[in-house]
Amino acid sequence: MKFLDEAKVYIKSGDGGAGAVSFRREKFIEFGGPDGGDGGRGGDVWVEVVNGLNTLIDFRFQQHFKASIGQHGMGKTRTGAKGSDVVLKVPVGTQIFEEDNETLIIDLTKEGQRFRLAAGGNGGFGNAYFKSSTNQAPTHANPGLAGEEKTIWLRLKLIADAGLVGLPNAGKSTFLATVTRARPKIANYPFTTLHPNLGVATIDGREFVLADIPGLIEGAHEGVGIGDRFLGHVERTRVLLHLVSAQEEKVGKAYKTVKAELDAYGGGLTDKPEIVALSQIDVLDEKELKKKAKELEKACGRPPLLLSAAAHIGMTEALRALRDIIVSASNGGDTALPDRSMPHESEVEEEDDRL
């Protein structure tokens, strides 16, 4: 299934049905009179959050949604039927914006949530409604009111507990594939990841959702490379895992490049708890590893985690660090980074068994 996280859609609710002009005419009935019924209400346009979707790809093939008009009124004071509604089914995390793509209408964050985007027009009154002591035989009825029509934008921001950020080829997709059942494309060239991927990681019986987004490069906020348009998918996360590849010549500069792009994007990303890790350490010897770890520590202000997804080094420690912050945030506690500089011996012994 292709990934689509933004779509422009035209919607129109149904017009109300017209009221009827009718008079009662029955044999042997002495008194007749107006008996035109009211028109039915037009159908509404709703949006509903459903399970099983993680993309807006359906709206690439259909961009116009129109609800049915209400049925016209009939004689014998029969009211017309209401028009059929139209329901736009979207994944959790979808935001609805006005045509200017800036004014937020609704942010849908829970499965089963429904919202009426456009109300159907009211049906018109039939001539029976206008009967009075001074107007015994009205010959007019109201037309139905027109429905609402507008163009809206749908924008998806995936719901995840933790997000992976870093330069292209920092090992984000490999990390995701190692700790979850997700199968992102992995290759040794920049921008292998072209769209966000989700996976569910498990550590010590606790599950949480990881989001991997395409890599950032300098100038991403100005549209360089793939740009920063996918950063919205980590806005809702509780913690970021910032991976810096040990293959970078200057790991400190690589870290600062991504941090600058996160800051330029905004969205509160720089305010989130961040775990910094030096990835792909299996390609370095011990001396070079210590040098680059020290350089990265100087850039980020704390000792980074050392890990290699390919060699299963440091993965348990990284997952537990993410879990601790997610659990703390879920409980409304302090989201300060846990002290992982000196892992417990049992954690080191259990790592190979768990992975």
Side-chain angles (χ1 to χ4, degrees):
M1 178 183 293
K2 290 185 178 296
F3 184 84
L4 186 69
D5 64 350
E6 191 171 71
K8 188 178 183 180
V9 173
Y10 169 82
I11 60 173
K12 185 181 187 306
S13 58
D15 298 337
V21 176
S22 175
F23 291 90
R24 181 180 179 188
R25 289 290 185 270
E26 296 182 45
K27 190 176 183 180
F28 305 121
I29 301 298
E30 183 177 0
F31 299 102
D35 68 349
D38 300 337
R41 182 182 177 85
D44 302 325
V45 179
W46 294 81
V47 61
E48 180 180 5
V49 180
V50 298
N51 187 25
L53 293 179
N54 59 6
T55 175
L56 299 174
I57 189 64
D58 292 340
F59 298 98
R60 172 172 289 178
F61 308 106
Q62 183 180 357
Q63 295 90 31
H64 292 76
F65 296 86
K66 297 181 181 180
S68 302
I69 65 172
Q71 188 176 351
H72 300 317
M74 295 166 284
K76 298 183 180 180
T77 60
R78 289 177 291 174
T79 300
K82 181 182 182 300
S84 300
D85 295 340
V86 167
V87 180
L88 282 64
K89 296 183 178 180
V90 298
V92 177
T94 301
Q95 294 179 317
I96 313 293
F97 290 86
E98 296 284 4
E99 188 173 6
D100 60 8
N101 207 3
E102 295 180 356
T103 306
L104 180 65
I105 299 175
I106 184 71
D107 190 359
L108 303 165
T109 58
K110 296 181 180 179
E111 184 180 335
Q113 192 173 354
R114 281 171 61 93
F115 181 79
R116 186 169 66 181
L117 295 172
N122 288 326
F125 293 123
N127 66 336
Y129 176 84
F130 298 101
K131 180 182 177 181
S132 68
S133 60
T134 57
N135 186 7
Q136 296 288 324
T139 58
H140 68 281
N142 282 350
L145 295 179
E148 302 178 44
E149 59 179 319
K150 63 175 72 175
T151 298
I152 60 174
W153 284 90
L154 309 180
R155 190 184 304 165
L156 175 62
K157 291 183 179 179
L158 296 175
I159 304 294
D161 298 305
L164 302 176
V165 296
L167 292 174
N169 286 85
K172 302 185 299 298
S173 296
T174 305
F175 183 93
L176 183 71
T178 302
V179 301
T180 74
R181 293 186 178 181
R183 291 296 175 263
K185 184 178 180 180
I186 300 173
N188 190 26
Y189 57 84
F191 301 115
T192 306
T193 301
L194 297 176
H195 58 78
N197 294 295
L198 289 178
V200 179
T202 304
I203 185 70
D204 298 335
R206 173 82 184 197
E207 292 185 346
F208 57 90
V209 180
L210 273 173
D212 166 34
I213 64 169
L216 301 170
I217 62 174
E218 188 172 0
H221 67 283
E222 299 175 344
V224 179
I226 294 181
D228 62 3
R229 64 180 297 261
F230 292 115
L231 280 176
H233 296 288
V234 293
E235 280 187 26
R236 303 180 192 271
T237 59
R238 295 184 173 95
V239 58
L240 298 178
L241 177 58
H242 187 160
L243 298 182
V244 180
S245 174
Q247 300 185 64
E248 294 287 342
E249 184 176 350
K250 297 181 178 180
V251 292
K253 181 180 178 182
Y255 170 81
K256 291 179 180 179
T257 296
V258 174
K259 287 292 287 185
E261 294 304 321
L262 296 178
D263 185 59
Y265 174 82
L269 294 183
T270 53
D271 298 328
K272 292 183 180 296
E274 179 190 53
I275 297 173
V276 181
L278 186 64
S279 63
Q280 302 171 341
I281 62 171
D282 54 299
V283 302
L284 300 180
D285 57 33
E286 185 175 350
K287 182 179 179 181
E288 189 70 14
L289 176 59
K290 288 182 178 180
K291 177 183 176 183
K292 292 199 172 183
K294 187 175 182 179
E295 180 185 348
L296 184 55
E297 179 181 354
K298 183 179 179 181
C300 67
R302 56 186 177 276
L305 297 179
L306 304 178
L307 59 87
S308 169
H312 287 188
I313 300 172
M315 303 297 285
T316 298
E317 184 181 1
L319 290 178
R320 284 179 175 162
L322 291 171
R323 177 207 58 191
D324 290 347
I325 295 177
I326 293 168
V327 171
S328 178
S330 299
N331 296 334
D334 183 13
T335 56
L337 295 177
D339 183 9
R340 290 284 176 179
S341 56
M342 294 294 292
H344 193 274
E345 291 182 2
S346 61
E347 294 182 9
V348 177
E349 293 172 355
E350 293 173 2
E351 181 168 341
D352 291 337
D353 294 334
R354 293 186 183 279
L355 294 176

